[in-house]
Amino acid sequence: MREALDKALNQLVEESLRMLSLVREMTQKATEALVEGNRAKAEEVISKDKEVDALELKVENEAITLIARHQPVASDLRLIFTVIKALTDLERAGDYAMHVAEDAFTLAQEPPLKRYVTLPEMGRRLLEMMDTLAKAVAERDPGLARKIIAMDDQVDALYEEVSRELITYMMEDPRTITKALTLMRVARSYERLGDHLENIAERVIYWLTGEVYKAPEDVY
């Protein structure tokens, strides 16, 4: 009985990591589409969002079936609920990667406002967060999960930086407003994607330690 439960739990984790890998791929290609002005890559990201959505439903149904069939308790139940809650964040993270791709598709139709520096750096930091998150789950390491919280602070700082820069562009030349607003939307999508990864990291900490961890800015 325990062997069957462990197998089902491991499959749940593996499929969750597969979903994380898909979101990572989308984020990377969306950033490449932005920097390269590559509309084909942007379209590829947009089409892949359906795959993430389908996987979310599949894993959620498997988690519910697992609960009904094995009636897990204690740490096993924490793992299952961590997965179920993380699925929502992963799906939303995929949506934000898709939003970046949609804006990249639009921006690619005209010359760029400027050479992109901060935005691709935000994308790179998000990839690092996802790699660290995958490792934290695979190695059952709450310390790595806690590192993701600090990494999200770096993404937030880059968001503030690019927002200030784009506001300056708009103030100095009103003709840049349309493009600048689209780029600000890209930055916001990156920032929100990072927030969802932070949420997952907090839930991984709960799964592994039983500790309800909240980043300082989340505590009121």
Side-chain angles (χ1 to χ4, degrees):
M1 186 70 176
R2 181 69 223 184
E3 183 178 348
L5 175 58
D6 285 342
K7 182 178 180 180
L9 290 171
N10 287 336
Q11 182 175 339
L12 209 60
V13 172
E14 287 173 6
E15 291 188 332
S16 299
L17 289 174
R18 167 61 180 158
M19 192 169 170
L20 176 62
S21 177
L22 283 172
V23 174
R24 187 195 189 283
E25 181 184 349
M26 290 173 67
T27 304
Q28 181 174 353
K29 287 189 175 179
T31 302
E32 291 172 355
L34 176 70
V35 174
E36 300 168 7
N38 190 321
R39 298 174 75 184
K41 279 189 178 179
E43 289 180 319
E44 185 178 345
V45 174
I46 294 166
S47 65
K48 193 165 283 290
D49 185 61
K50 293 179 181 178
E51 190 174 342
V52 172
D53 293 345
L55 190 54
E56 178 196 16
L57 291 175
K58 179 177 182 292
V59 179
E60 184 178 284
N61 287 333
E62 288 177 356
I64 293 170
T65 301
L66 195 158
I67 293 172
R69 183 172 297 166
H70 296 281
Q71 298 181 335
V73 296
S75 61
D76 294 333
L77 200 56
R78 286 207 308 268
L79 166 56
I80 294 168
F81 281 112
T82 293
V83 168
I84 290 173
K85 290 193 171 189
L87 289 174
T88 301
D89 281 298
L90 283 172
E91 190 274 333
R92 291 299 295 138
D95 285 346
Y96 282 113
M98 180 182 68
H99 293 333
V100 171
E102 289 171 338
D103 285 327
F105 185 91
T106 300
L107 289 163
Q109 299 178 58
E110 297 180 13
L113 178 64
K114 60 183 290 295
R115 188 173 73 88
Y116 302 132
V117 177
T118 310
L119 288 172
E121 179 62 15
M122 290 181 76
R124 188 185 69 79
R125 298 290 179 92
L126 290 170
L127 297 182
E128 287 181 359
M129 288 176 70
M130 284 184 261
D131 289 341
T132 304
L133 181 56
K135 190 174 181 181
V137 171
E139 298 182 3
R140 310 297 199 262
D141 188 338
L144 284 174
R146 288 188 177 91
K147 285 185 178 181
I148 294 165
I149 313 298
M151 296 169 79
D152 185 57
D153 290 340
Q154 297 170 3
V155 173
D156 291 344
L158 289 170
Y159 170 65
E160 295 296 333
E161 179 184 328
V162 75
S163 295
R164 288 194 299 269
E165 182 182 8
L166 290 168
I167 288 171
T168 300
Y169 266 91
M170 289 187 288
M171 290 176 64
E172 292 179 350
D173 186 354
R175 292 172 299 178
T176 66
I177 288 176
T178 299
K179 284 184 183 178
L181 287 175
T182 303
L183 290 169
M184 287 183 74
R185 192 164 57 234
V186 169
R188 180 61 173 167
S189 292
Y190 279 139
E191 190 270 337
R192 290 298 295 137
L193 201 162
D195 287 345
H196 285 289
L197 296 177
E198 181 182 37
N199 288 345
I200 297 170
E202 291 173 355
R203 288 168 181 142
V204 168
I205 293 169
Y206 171 69
W207 159 41
L208 295 173
T209 68
E211 171 191 355
V212 179
Y213 183 91
K214 298 299 290 181
E217 66 270 17
D218 295 333
V219 179
Y220 298 95

